Structures are given as C-alpha cells and as structure tokens.
Amino acid sequence: MSDRYEPQEIEKKWQAKWDAAGVDLACEEPSDTRESYYCLEMFPYPSGSLHMGHVRNYCLGDAVARYKRMHGYNVLHPIGWDAFGLPAENAAIKHKRPPAEWTYHNIDQMRGQLRQLGLSYDWSREFATCQPEYYRWEQWMFTRLVEKGLAYRKEAEVNWCQPCHTVLANEQVVEGACWRCDTPVERKNLAQWFIRITDYAEELLADLDKLTGWPEKVIGMQRNWIGRSTGAEVSFGVEANGKQSDETLDIFTTRPDTLMGVTYMAVAAGHRLAKKAAESNPELAKFLHECSHISTKEADVALMEKRGMDTGFKAIHPITGETVPIWVANFVLMSYGTGAVMSVPGHDERDHEFAHKYGIPIRQVIRPVDGEWDVQEAAFVDTGVLVNSGQFDGLASVEAKAAITGYLVSESKGEERVQYRLRDWLVSRQRYWGAPIPVIYCDDCGMVTVPEDQLPVVLPEELQPTGGASPLAGCEAFVHVDCPECGKAARRETDTFDTFMESSWYMNRFTSPCSESMVDAAAMQRWAPVDQYVGGVEHAVLHLLYARFYHKLMRDAGLFTSAEGGDEPFRNLLTQGMVLKDGAKMSKSKGNTVDPNAIIGKYGADTARLFTLFAAPPEKDLEWSDAGVEGANRFLKRVWRLMESATASPAGEDNQAAVRALRLTIHTTIQRVTHAFEHGFAFNVAIAALMEMSNALIAFEPKGEKGLAAVREGLQALAAMLAPFVPHFACELGERIGMQKMAVVADWPVVDEAALVQDEITLAVQIQGKRRGEITVAKDADQETAMAAAKANQSIAKWLDGMQIVKVILVPGRLLNIVVRPE
RNA sequence: GCCGGGAUGGUGGAACUGGUAGACACAAGGGACUUAAAAUCCCUCGAAAAGUAAUUUUCGUGCGGGUUCGACUCCCGCUCCCGGCACCA
C-alpha cells in the first residue's frame, strides 16, 4: 500500500471495482422495492473531446445520482450521444471521410473521458441517436403525426442560413442570426415540414405552472416565447374603386377599446391586398419588392425607418361604416396575427409616428382617468376612459373591450381571440447527416408516408457531403423507391430532420433503450418523468421547449399515459452556469480553454471534480482558477494524511468535552451536507462544511479509546459524504479505515441527535442590538440566569452602567439582547 | 420598453424562517523546517482611529428612506451590472 496519495492508481482501481460490482446499473427487477429516481444530464454532442462545461455538467449530475443511491433509491443515470448534426458534415468535408466515421471516433474518445472522470453511468443503456434502431421510432412517430395532421408540409417564408445551407426553426435564430454560425439569416419561400406545436401552445403555457422545480428564469423565457395575447379579431369591409367588394380585411388587436380611433389600416408587404393593389400600381410593386429584400436581416428590422404606401383600397369600419385608407407598411409582420393591423395613431406610438410622417389624421378616443392628454403631441397608450366613441363614451377601457367585442360578435364582424407568438416548429433540414424524413413522393398518389414495416428509412452512411446541396439528393439508390401504395417508381424525400427531434425524446428512450416499441409503458411508469435534469440554460427555449412538446405528443399518441410518464418530461431542472476563464466563456477561438485531460493527468479526476463543484454555486458562472485547483488537491492530500495519522493507538484518557465537541461538529456537518443536497444543491457549501469538519478532525488529538472512536466515526462520515463528489478517493479512504461497504454504496450517514445536544451554550449579548460580548450558560438557561451571567461579565456590565433596562429579548441558543435607556 | 436574476473583504463566495456579517477557500504578508527549492506546518489578513501592548471604539453587505429591541435578509424609492425577448398590433 502506497503511503502517498496516487490518484491515477486508485482511480483505475475503483473504476474497475465499480464495473465488476455493477454498482451504477439501474435495477429493473420487479422485486426491487426501492423507490426509483431518474437523474439525467443533457447528453453531449460528440464534437471531439470533452470541455470543462461538460465536466461541470456531468459532475453536478453525478453528485446527485450518487447521493440518491446512497439514500436508498434505485437510480437511473444514463448517458448517450446526440450524434447527428452539422459539425460532423463539416469535418467530413475537411477530412474527406464519411461523417459517421468521425462521429463514432469522437464517441469512443469522449466515452473514454467520461469513464476517466468516474461518472456513475449505467453504460448498458448507452445509445447514439444516429443509430437506425433509435431514429426508426422518430420516423415512425412522424408518420403518425402526418396521419393525425400534426405534421404537415407547406410553402412558407422561412429562415435560411447560407453557410449552413439549410433552413432553421425560429428558435434557432438568435438576434437575427444562425445559432450555429452566427450568419444573419435570410428569408426565403420554401416548401418545408412543420410540426404543429401551436396546437399545444395553451397546454405548454398552462403546464409551466406545474414545473415548480424549474428556475423562474427558464419558465419566464418559455412564457415569453409562447407569447400569449388576448384580444379580438375584427373584420373590416373592403372598398375598391369606390365600390364595396366581397373581400374582408381581418385584423387582430389587443385593444378593441380603441377601435373607434382607427384612422387607417396597415398591411404587410406580403399581404394578399398589397399584392393585389400592386398589380395595377408599378410604384407600389417596386415598394413591395424593396420591402421583401430589406427585411432579410431580422436584427435590422427593429431599427428600420417606418415606411409605407397607400394601396388605394379603403377599409370600412365595422361600427361606424366610415372608410379609412389601407396602407402597406414595412413594420407590419406577415408572420404574426393576420399580417394586417388596424392603426390607432392616438393610442399607439408606432401608429402615431407613421401617421405623423404621412399626414394621416390622429383621433383621441381614450382619455386619462384624471388629467389631460393631447394625442396630437404623443400617443396615449395607457388604458383610460372612452371619449368620441359614440355609444361607448364614458366606459373604462376594460369594460369597453368587452362591450365593443360583444357588439362585433353580435354583428358577426369579430370575435374574441387568443394569439400566440409561437409558430409551428420547422423540422426539415437540407442536410445529409440527419434522420431521413420518412416520406415518398409519387406522381400518382402524391405524398405518401413510409409504412411501418418499411421503417427505418436508413441513411446511407458512406456519402461524401460537399457543403452545398445534400448528397442524398444525388444518391440514386436512396432516392429511387417504389411507391408503397401503387408500386410505381417514386422518389424519397431527401431532407432530414432537425437534430432537435432526436434530443426531444431521448430521455424517454433511456427508460427502455432496447424496447421493440418507441418506449415501453411499464418502463415509463417506473422511471419517468426525469426527477432531476441538469444542463445549460442556453436550451431554455430550444431543447427544453421541444422536449416538453414532444413528450405530450408521445403521451397523446398513447405511448404512455399521464399516470405513467406524466404530462411533463422533467420534474426538476438545474441550469448550471458557464465555465469562464479570464472573465470570458472558454472557447477555442479565444484560446482560453483548459483541457480536462491535462487536469486529470496532473491531479486526477477527483481533484477536477472537487474543484468544479467547490468553486461556485451550480447555477452561477464558474471562473477557472489554477490556484483553486491546487487548493482542491491540497484538501484531498490533507485528508489523506489525516487518515494515516488516525491509525495510532494511544492509551491515555481523552478530554470528555473535546470529544463531545468533535462529535458535535461531525453531526452538524452531516446535517449541513444533507441539507445542501435536499435544498438547491449548494455543493460549494456542502464541500466547505466537509472541509471544516476535516479541519476539526486534524486539530483533534485522540489520547484514548473514546477519542479514537470519535475520529473513526468522523472519518467514516467523511468518506461517505465525500463519495458523491470524489468517489474514488472516498472509496480508498473508506477501505483504509475499514468500512464494511464501498463508500459509494454506503448508507448515507445519519445524524445522532444526542450528539447535537450541548450542556452549555454560548450566547451573544447585545445592547441595543449591538454585540458587546458573549456569555456561556446552561443550554436551557432562562432569561434571568442569562441576565445574571451578562451582568457578571465586565465588558458587558460597563454598558449597563447608569442605564435603566427597558426590555430583554432572549433568542434561545443564539443571543440575549438588552434594551436600555439612560436613567 | 417588457420579463427574469444580481450587487457582501484584494478574489470566489458563506450567513437557517429577521438574531454574533465575512464560514470555507484563493491570493497576499510574516514565520518554522531545509544547504537551497518544492512540499508541509504555524500566524496575520474588511476599513479607520487610540494604545508600548493585551485590547478598545467607530464605521461597514450598491445608494436614499422606513419598519423592528435587532435588517445582507422585510417594505418604499433609486443607481448600476448580467441574461432573455422585442416594430408581436
């Protein structure tokens, strides 16, 4: 047995022992009566090698999984690979090797790194999403969605990223640019596949209330993204060339109370009426053309000057019958509401600016509840009381909304309406390295989904991508297929799925990774939903929204019920902060990365784990510090020496009070560390408590049996409580001090209430709330006794001199506060 | 503009439900051991003032008020920083 702490040796040794004993496997035996617990970290994209962000993410999750195991739970803690995606294609172009090869090579490398870290994964459940056995179920699900009308193909204006040569979902456009390559996206009209997430908008919003274990921040971001507004849809008549036409102009408004203030209408450049007007108006056609080109960069849209042009058409007001001009305006979005708005310059800043610029009348229909307002100067956007609104005069805005909407409903010119910002999820991509969309186009039968018995549609893995059009389109063997309905020659869809499709349901597949159906309902019953999910906040409206949606799709496809898998996939969510170096996120381009391998090689996995957990609270950013890593390593070495010095066998008498004090420290530490695990995972605080305890153990010198027993008790508790953080070290420590079980499977230490009882306690003494000294009294001393002790204490007594005691407050176990005033 | 989260020593951060602010670490300074270095161990470490000294006093959790015997913590009003969304009708 080596005397020095040799992390490389002991880490290899214990990893082998854990594997041999199968301690990390989730148990599927029906006879296992332990409560189940599902702990999951966001699975990695196999980019090449682990970075510190991964290390932090997985160490956090591992600490939770290990703690729960020690607490007697049957824990499911799986890992796999989010293996489809663009970087593999780019690497394939660069190295002239198929993306599959690159991907599997990276998986091997990263698996090795995860193993080195000693993470307690159930490796028997590992899968990669690029395996046909995985994506076949996604294809199967998609065909079901098409049948139910929940997935559809439609030509629409979509986001196009030129460098990535593909369309993007709205969620993948960040500040007008591609989330991957940061290039501003363009708008293009293309036929694409969508999934009807908007059908679930209401449930996705309402169920946010069930997510009591999620950070407010993420809930807020999702709520914001779904963007529910209530108002009315209003139908205006349309007059062309002085004659009323059959057409109507429908708009959505959240302010029906301002309807009487409409002085013009505005439609988007892509609106039907705008196009129609342009047919006979070349200048307008030119303007529409400009609008469609200028609006390619979303980021610029908000800053753009407001411009517009009269279509010549008039709208007929649904209540007054008055006609107002219909304009085309570059600020009206085709993709929200109906692509048209009613304009009330008196009560909307944007409309005011526009009306002012083009000399359109501004009419006041709302006045402040008290005070005056001149709408010619500026729009009054608050709610108030209606004026100049005929029969609605005098109503408050709130009442007027109901009254006006009610009137429109009775006249069949409008209805109450809920509008969402959320748009349907665009899931097709013009990329090669993804799951093929299981659809066939037949000249006779049209679009046909691939029948279940012909799934999976396997992606040919040997093709060479070029960065331009997907090589799938040029792959005859893939494209040519017989129509499943009529048997004639037909063509396959060559687009693939957005990779967020794979990551939207992997958490459910882990419950039964080999199931001969998409998921096994009994396994869902046992494991789902995920009890604790851990990952980065950057997926707040991407993965975390899609996964919630997909979970509900699976439920509604009858794959499991609410009782089996729940309505939500993740019960509790921990969003960890980023790992920074020199104040910036670690990145290759900035050159401020720290290689996990180098840290593990120099200090061992346990030191790497300990530092990432100790240096900051989980949800905050972590500033990398080489000195901090040294510090974490020093702590382990101190405990190592402590262990070696505790094997002495002195034959003297211990100071009773010192032994009791040590046991008090041990058991308050158990309390504190347990509390950290049960409330918010403040591992930095838990580790600090363990450091304090080890400091107390180091300071204590056992002189006899009792002292030695207390030290052993402390060391055992220390080994057990260190196990979730530094499992190899904890096991080695446990073995050397003679623990029966491996530390990682030991029972979590239990607080000995008797050890917490103190005969004497120290009370802080305050005069007027200011600390003036402290006294030691019996633990159940009453106020009188405490006061007597305080008066007997010189440094306290001098403050009472010449003072009259007005009031005395005793906070048991904490302090005595004496309120005085001059006599 | 809207929504969320913050602000505590030189630094990262502690502080239960309103009860001894600065735990635990890092850095820094001093010392021990050593031929020397590394490693290790010990001491000091919020600011200011007084004292030879032990020590004592005052101030101190972004700013201004308030509630309370007592406020980092609660209330009102601000400032600044970070993250997200934003011509959404």
Side-chain angles (χ1 to χ4, degrees):
Chain A
M1 221 197 290
S2 163
D3 284 334
R4 282 182 52 203
Y5 169 44
E6 301 282 2
Q8 321 302 346
E9 269 174 45
I10 68 169
E11 285 171 12
K12 229 177 264 167
K13 165 183 161 185
W14 288 102
Q15 283 165 17
K17 287 199 180 210
W18 301 334
D19 278 350
V23 296
D24 302 327
L25 301 178
C27 182
E28 291 284 3
E29 288 302 317
S31 58
D32 194 324
T33 56
R34 291 176 299 169
E35 206 177 318
S36 61
Y37 190 90
Y38 186 0
C39 176
L40 183 68
E41 298 104 60
M42 290 181 185
F43 69 162
Y45 176 77
S47 54
S49 53
L50 292 189
H51 53 70
M52 278 300 170
H54 288 125
V55 173
R56 188 177 191 199
N57 191 182
Y58 303 141
C59 288
L60 286 167
D62 198 47
V64 175
R66 288 184 179 280
Y67 169 78
K68 287 291 173 181
R69 245 180 239 124
M70 293 174 75
H71 248 267
Y73 287 87
N74 182 12
V75 173
L76 173 59
H77 188 216
I79 189 77
W81 309 95
D82 188 13
F84 274 135
L86 204 47
E89 278 189 67
N90 293 336
I93 296 162
K94 198 172 156 194
H95 303 124
K96 300 222 162 30
R97 303 293 309 162
E101 191 180 296
W102 183 84
T103 302
Y104 284 110
H105 173 263
N106 288 349
I107 288 175
D108 287 342
Q109 183 160 325
M110 289 169 78
R111 184 193 299 111
Q113 290 184 294
L114 292 178
R115 291 217 161 226
Q116 262 195 308
L117 279 167
L119 301 163
S120 63
Y121 292 125
D122 181 344
W123 286 100
S124 73
R125 291 173 191 252
E126 178 191 3
F127 59 74
T129 58
C130 60
Q131 293 163 335
E133 307 83 71
Y134 180 80
Y135 63 71
R136 71 169 293 175
W137 297 110
E138 197 172 303
Q139 293 174 332
W140 171 82
M141 181 70 175
F142 186 77
T143 61
R144 299 279 311 259
L145 293 177
V146 173
E147 282 159 27
K148 287 163 89 178
L150 283 167
Y152 61 93
R153 189 173 146 93
K154 185 184 130 184
E155 180 167 317
E157 191 176 72
V158 295
N159 310 298
W160 174 265
C161 176
Q162 188 53 41
C164 295
H165 203 272
T166 187
V167 298
L168 300 169
N170 291 319
E171 290 78 9
Q172 291 166 327
V173 178
V174 180
E175 289 179 0
C178 172
W179 69 304
R180 277 211 172 278
C181 70
D182 215 28
T183 309
V185 300
E186 297 170 36
R187 299 207 148 263
K188 271 197 178 184
N189 273 302
L190 291 170
Q192 294 294 322
W193 286 97
F194 294 86
I195 302 185
R196 242 177 254 286
I197 192 170
T198 51
D199 275 18
Y200 283 73
E202 196 58 55
E203 194 191 348
L204 287 168
L205 188 67
D207 282 359
L208 287 173
D209 293 337
K210 295 181 185 168
L211 300 176
T212 51
W214 279 40
E216 275 302 315
K217 182 184 183 178
V218 177
I219 304 255
M221 281 165 75
Q222 290 213 356
R223 185 167 282 137
N224 205 333
W225 190 263
I226 296 167
R228 183 183 201 268
S229 334
T230 55
E233 184 162 302
V234 185
S235 253
F236 284 69
V238 176
E239 200 181 274
N241 308 319
K243 282 187 295 183
Q244 181 160 0
S245 77
D246 308 334
E247 289 201 67
T248 60
L249 176 56
D250 297 339
I251 59 94
F252 171 73
T253 179
T254 55
R255 291 294 301 274
D257 55 317
T258 65
L259 182 59
M260 304 303 271
V262 171
T263 56
Y264 69 100
M265 306 294 283
V267 300
H271 195 271
R272 166 178 54 84
L273 280 179
K275 287 178 182 164
K276 199 169 164 188
E279 285 169 13
S280 55
N281 184 343
E283 220 171 305
L284 184 62
K286 196 177 147 215
F287 178 65
L288 297 190
H289 187 74
E290 276 172 34
C291 286
S292 68
H293 273 261
I294 286 163
S295 66
T296 51
K297 284 192 195 173
E298 282 208 343
D300 295 343
V301 170
L303 307 166
M304 211 160 60
E305 192 199 350
K306 286 171 187 37
R307 291 175 59 207
M309 221 169 163
D310 197 336
T311 61
F313 295 130
K314 305 274 186 223
I316 304 165
H317 195 281
I319 295 180
T320 63
E322 185 188 359
T323 59
V324 294
I326 301 175
W327 285 65
V328 181
N330 63 351
F331 64 82
V332 180
L333 302 173
M334 194 55 217
S335 51
Y336 183 79
T338 59
V341 295
M342 67 178 205
S343 295
V344 186
H347 304 283
D348 180 281
E349 279 170 7
R350 202 180 29 201
D351 296 346
H352 193 277
E353 186 188 333
F354 193 85
H356 188 76
K357 178 168 177 178
Y358 291 104
I360 303 168
I362 298 166
R363 183 183 301 165
Q364 175 157 27
V365 289
I366 311 274
R367 64 162 173 79
V369 175
D370 37 43
E372 295 291 315
W373 191 283
D374 179 6
V375 296
Q376 301 304 323
E377 288 294 314
F380 176 70
V381 297
D382 284 344
T383 53
V385 179
L386 272 73
V387 291
N388 306 323
S389 298
Q391 54 185 301
F392 304 107
D393 275 357
L395 291 177
S397 287
V398 188
E399 303 158 343
K401 279 181 188 176
I404 291 176
T405 308
Y407 176 84
L408 292 170
V409 170
S410 70
E411 296 281 307
S412 303
K413 285 176 178 166
E415 54 192 83
E416 266 188 60
R417 177 84 195 262
V418 176
Q419 186 69 42
Y420 299 93
R421 207 191 74 106
L422 183 71
R423 282 171 260 165
D424 278 342
W425 179 14
L426 201 176
V427 295
S428 48
R429 295 291 179 274
Q430 293 66 56
R431 301 301 321 187
Y432 161 48
W433 189 235
I437 296 175
V439 168
I440 292 165
Y441 301 102
C442 170
D443 287 340
D444 292 350
C445 311
M447 189 201 83
V448 182
T449 53
V450 176
E452 192 172 348
D453 60 11
Q454 291 176 30
L455 291 176
V457 177
V458 177
L459 180 76
E461 291 194 353
E462 69 287 355
L463 303 185
Q464 176 63 46
T466 60
S470 164
L472 275 182
C475 177
E476 295 289 303
F478 178 79
V479 173
H480 285 188
V481 64
D482 292 339
C483 171
E485 302 217 331
C486 68
K488 278 201 245 168
R491 300 174 56 78
R492 280 195 198 281
E493 170 68 79
T494 56
D495 279 1
T496 53
F497 284 131
D498 178 10
T499 56
F500 279 99
M501 285 282 270
E502 284 90 61
S503 55
S504 291
W505 68 285
Y506 79 110
M507 65 286 176
N508 291 341
R509 184 68 182 174
F510 273 138
T511 65
S512 48
C514 301
S515 174
E516 280 305 310
S517 56
M518 192 169 189
V519 289
D520 183 80
M524 287 296 284
Q525 169 84 62
R526 173 161 225 158
W527 301 113
V530 173
D531 290 286
Q532 183 64 53
Y533 200 31
V534 187
V537 75
E538 65 272 18
H539 286 115
V541 286
L542 283 159
H543 163 60
L544 288 168
L545 181 66
Y546 296 143
R548 291 184 60 221
F549 169 49
Y550 210 97
H551 190 77
K552 292 172 195 296
L553 288 177
M554 288 174 80
R555 178 201 61 195
D556 292 347
L559 294 164
F560 55 84
T561 66
S562 291
E564 286 158 355
D567 292 321
E568 286 288 331
F570 311 114
R571 191 169 280 150
N572 296 292
L573 173 67
L574 175 64
T575 50
Q576 101 260 3
M578 292 185 296
V579 181
L580 310 178
K581 178 121 193 277
D582 310 320
K585 186 180 179 175
M586 284 189 183
S587 76
K588 280 181 197 153
S589 58
K590 287 197 204 89
N592 61 344
T593 56
V594 174
D595 179 13
N597 280 355
I599 301 299
I600 296 169
K602 188 168 176 194
Y603 302 101
D606 283 330
T607 294
R609 296 175 60 122
L610 188 67
F611 172 73
T612 57
L613 295 172
F614 178 62
E619 63 284 351
K620 288 190 90 175
D621 288 349
L622 182 158
E623 175 68 35
W624 186 265
S625 153
D626 291 329
V629 178
E630 292 272 1
N633 188 245
R634 262 201 298 274
F635 167 68
L636 294 179
K637 288 198 273 193
R638 267 202 300 274
V639 176
W640 189 267
R641 282 195 302 273
L642 162 67
M643 165 188 79
E644 296 191 324
S645 67
T647 51
S649 47
E653 276 294 305
D654 281 294
N655 175 326
Q656 292 284 324
V659 173
R660 295 193 64 163
L662 181 66
R663 293 200 69 233
L664 175 66
T665 303
I666 293 167
H667 288 275
T668 48
T669 303
I670 295 172
Q671 231 175 10
R672 291 167 68 188
V673 175
T674 307
H675 184 266
F677 271 103
E678 300 292 341
H679 301 97
F681 306 118
F683 297 137
N684 55 326
V685 184
I687 292 167
L690 290 171
M691 286 175 171
E692 277 184 69
M693 178 173 131
S694 86
N695 288 345
L697 284 164
I698 289 165
F700 180 84
E701 276 181 53
K703 301 200 177 65
E705 275 307 311
K706 285 197 173 142
L708 207 57
V711 170
R712 288 213 187 95
E713 182 184 8
L715 278 171
Q716 294 216 359
L718 187 61
M721 289 191 286
L722 279 174
F725 308 122
V726 286
H728 319 85
F729 181 90
C731 281
E732 185 69 21
L733 173 59
E735 185 180 67
R736 290 183 182 222
I737 60 174
M739 274 170 81
Q740 299 286 305
K741 295 191 203 167
M742 283 193 274
V744 293
V745 292
D747 294 330
W748 190 254
V750 177
V751 176
D752 177 4
E753 296 293 335
L756 298 179
V757 176
Q758 303 171 71
D759 295 336
E760 291 199 317
I761 51 170
T762 303
L763 285 182
V765 180
Q766 298 182 333
I767 313 288
Q768 321 286 59
K770 279 195 200 299
R771 188 177 184 279
R772 295 301 181 193
E774 58 182 41
I775 52 173
T776 302
V777 292
K779 69 165 193 284
D780 46 6
D782 61 8
Q783 194 169 299
E784 268 176 56
T785 320
M787 274 306 289
K791 282 176 183 166
N793 181 313
Q794 281 213 336
S795 56
I796 297 165
K798 73 178 180 191
W799 291 93
L800 299 173
D801 224 31
M803 292 289 173
Q804 184 189 348
I805 295 171
V806 179
K807 194 175 175 184
V808 178
I809 296 124
L810 176 73
V811 183
R814 293 206 175 267
L815 59 78
L816 180 75
N817 188 14
I818 305 164
V819 186
V820 296
R821 76 164 166 248
E823 262 170 332

